[in-house]
Amino acid sequence: MYESKRPYEKQKLNLPFTGICSFAKYPICTNLDELDAHIAIIGVPYDMGAQWRSGTRFGPRSIREGSTLYSFGLNGSYDPERDEVFLAPPLKIVDCGDVDIVHGDLQQSFENIEEAVRKIISKGAFPVILGGDHSITIPVAQALDSLGSLCAIQIDAHLDWADERSGQRYGHGSPMRRMAEMDHFNEMVQLGIRGIGSSIKEDFDDARAYGSVILSPKQIRKIGIDGVLSRIPKGGCYFLTIDVDGIDPSICPGTGTPSPGGFSYDEVNALLEAIVQRGEVVAFDFVEVAPAYDPTGMTGQTAARLILDLMGFITKKWEKENRKAFASETIEA
């Protein structure tokens, strides 16, 4: 009854809907003391910093679920537009699970986030952080102080330069100001900022006084990618923080603070590729996915695609520069 009419070699397919839902079905390593990888992905299921709609604590889970669609590429993914194979062996990518969050305890949760990112860096792995609301970027950024002088590059609808609100300095509207106060951050580029309510005028004044480059999607479309790159320090070391509300809510509605007039997927993809070529990306996070507001699941899926895109651009550059995973090994396409 079950005989095949044509001979074939039986394989284990590991389809997207089977198995444990790690990021893109990559291997799991939840004990950071045993971490041995080039890229370590870790979730931060935290939303105590949200000022309006909560739910980003489920962001890492949603991104992981969306990423399984792309799990066919564990031996590398071919991009026909670029005629390149991305994220292929011998590159080692692992999912480290989630940082432990203590409900109602901001300080302990932030300490756990910072400790986890520091541990990943100490193991020589590249950290990729799945948020969580944007306040998680504060301890993530603090953990990068061993990587030298950094330029923060933000893709976001909102400026996130609030100083404090009734004494609260660590909400999701404050990460860029808190980053500007850290000694290891010296430059800042903020892309996609738009709309009434992004921040008060005084916050914009303070960000500009710091030296931040602030560009809206309309301005970026006018000056083009080359115009953006001319405002980013060439050859610098970059930390990228990507808020999903930088993308237009018609594409990614699953976020707590959606803002019309955002980027398309292709625009963000092109920006990320250009930034990678401009300097060295040393870490990145992707925040503010709140799946409860998107029953289609497209927000988490789009986030996962952009994360994989960015990982691909970064590691392809490593390969071409004969670095890290590719120092003594050759990728087999």
Side-chain angles (χ1 to χ4, degrees):
M1 170 182 288
Y2 299 111
E3 276 188 35
S4 171
K5 294 183 179 179
R6 140 182 345 174
Y8 65 92
E9 182 180 350
K10 196 169 184 179
Q11 298 173 298
K12 183 173 181 178
L13 296 184
N14 193 23
L15 293 172
F17 52 83
T18 66
I20 296 171
C21 188
S22 65
F23 183 83
K25 307 295 283 291
Y26 284 119
I28 296 169
C29 175
T30 56
N31 184 347
L32 294 182
D33 289 326
E34 299 176 356
L35 178 62
D36 178 18
H38 302 107
I39 295 179
I41 298 156
I42 194 162
V44 183
Y46 176 98
D47 59 10
M48 285 187 277
Q51 299 176 69
W52 188 35
R53 301 194 301 189
S54 61
T56 55
R57 68 181 64 184
F58 297 108
R61 186 172 296 180
S62 173
I63 293 171
R64 286 186 174 105
E65 184 173 352
S67 74
T68 61
L69 174 64
Y70 310 111
S71 63
F72 295 105
L74 289 180
N75 290 317
S77 296
Y78 176 66
D79 183 340
E81 291 181 293
R82 296 174 177 86
D83 192 24
E84 298 269 20
V85 176
F86 289 93
L87 302 176
L91 188 69
K92 298 178 185 176
I93 303 171
V94 300
D95 189 328
C96 296
D98 290 336
V99 172
D100 193 48
I101 300 300
V102 183
H103 56 292
D105 192 330
L106 180 154
Q107 181 174 349
Q108 193 174 167
S109 297
F110 274 26
E111 287 173 355
N112 290 348
I113 297 166
E114 182 177 342
E115 180 183 357
V117 177
R118 286 189 183 279
K119 188 72 170 182
I120 289 170
I121 293 170
S122 75
K123 289 290 187 176
F126 181 101
V128 174
I129 299 94
L130 315 178
D133 73 54
H134 215 157
S135 67
I136 70 144
T137 297
I138 300 169
V140 168
Q142 189 61 58
L144 307 179
D145 58 2
S146 64
L147 301 179
S149 180
L150 302 177
C151 171
I153 301 179
Q154 172 196 20
I155 294 177
D156 201 324
H158 307 99
L159 191 70
D160 291 349
W161 256 81
D163 190 6
E164 55 85 17
R165 303 196 74 178
S166 193
Q168 172 57 274
R169 303 177 69 246
Y170 302 105
H172 70 166
S174 300
M176 304 313 289
R177 186 185 285 265
R178 298 287 84 85
M179 222 182 300
E181 296 166 348
M182 300 177 190
D183 291 340
H184 53 295
F185 283 94
N186 295 293
E187 295 171 289
M188 190 172 294
V189 179
Q190 300 180 262
L191 307 175
I193 314 304
R194 63 187 183 274
I196 295 171
S198 173
S199 244
I200 61 174
K201 182 179 183 301
E202 288 76 11
D203 292 343
F204 276 90
D205 292 342
D206 289 346
R208 291 184 178 115
Y210 172 79
S212 183
V213 174
I214 303 169
L215 294 170
S216 72
K218 286 182 180 179
Q219 291 169 324
I220 289 170
R221 289 170 188 135
K222 185 174 181 180
I223 65 175
I225 294 287
D226 289 341
V228 175
L229 292 181
S230 70
R231 292 159 169 81
I232 297 175
K234 186 176 183 179
C237 290
Y238 311 141
F239 167 56
L240 268 62
T241 180
I242 306 166
D243 187 323
V244 75
D245 67 32
I247 304 167
D248 195 79
S250 63
I251 302 167
C252 289
T255 187
T257 51
S259 180
F263 293 120
S264 70
Y265 161 81
D266 284 334
E267 287 174 322
V268 177
N269 177 280
L271 278 171
L272 295 177
E273 185 174 23
I275 290 166
V276 168
Q277 296 307 313
R278 183 72 171 171
E280 181 177 3
V281 179
V282 299
F284 72 87
D285 65 20
F286 201 111
V287 300
E288 293 286 348
V289 171
Y293 311 113
D294 179 7
T296 71
M298 275 306 301
T299 304
Q301 190 174 313
T302 303
R305 181 67 264 173
L306 286 167
I307 290 165
L308 285 162
D309 290 345
L310 182 50
M311 286 167 47
F313 297 146
I314 291 166
T315 55
K316 182 58 66 174
K317 187 176 182 183
W318 294 352
E319 177 191 348
K320 291 180 178 179
E321 294 180 354
N322 198 32
R323 295 163 52 200
K324 292 214 173 188
F326 313 102
S328 59
E329 299 170 283
T330 303
I331 280 189
E332 294 180 5

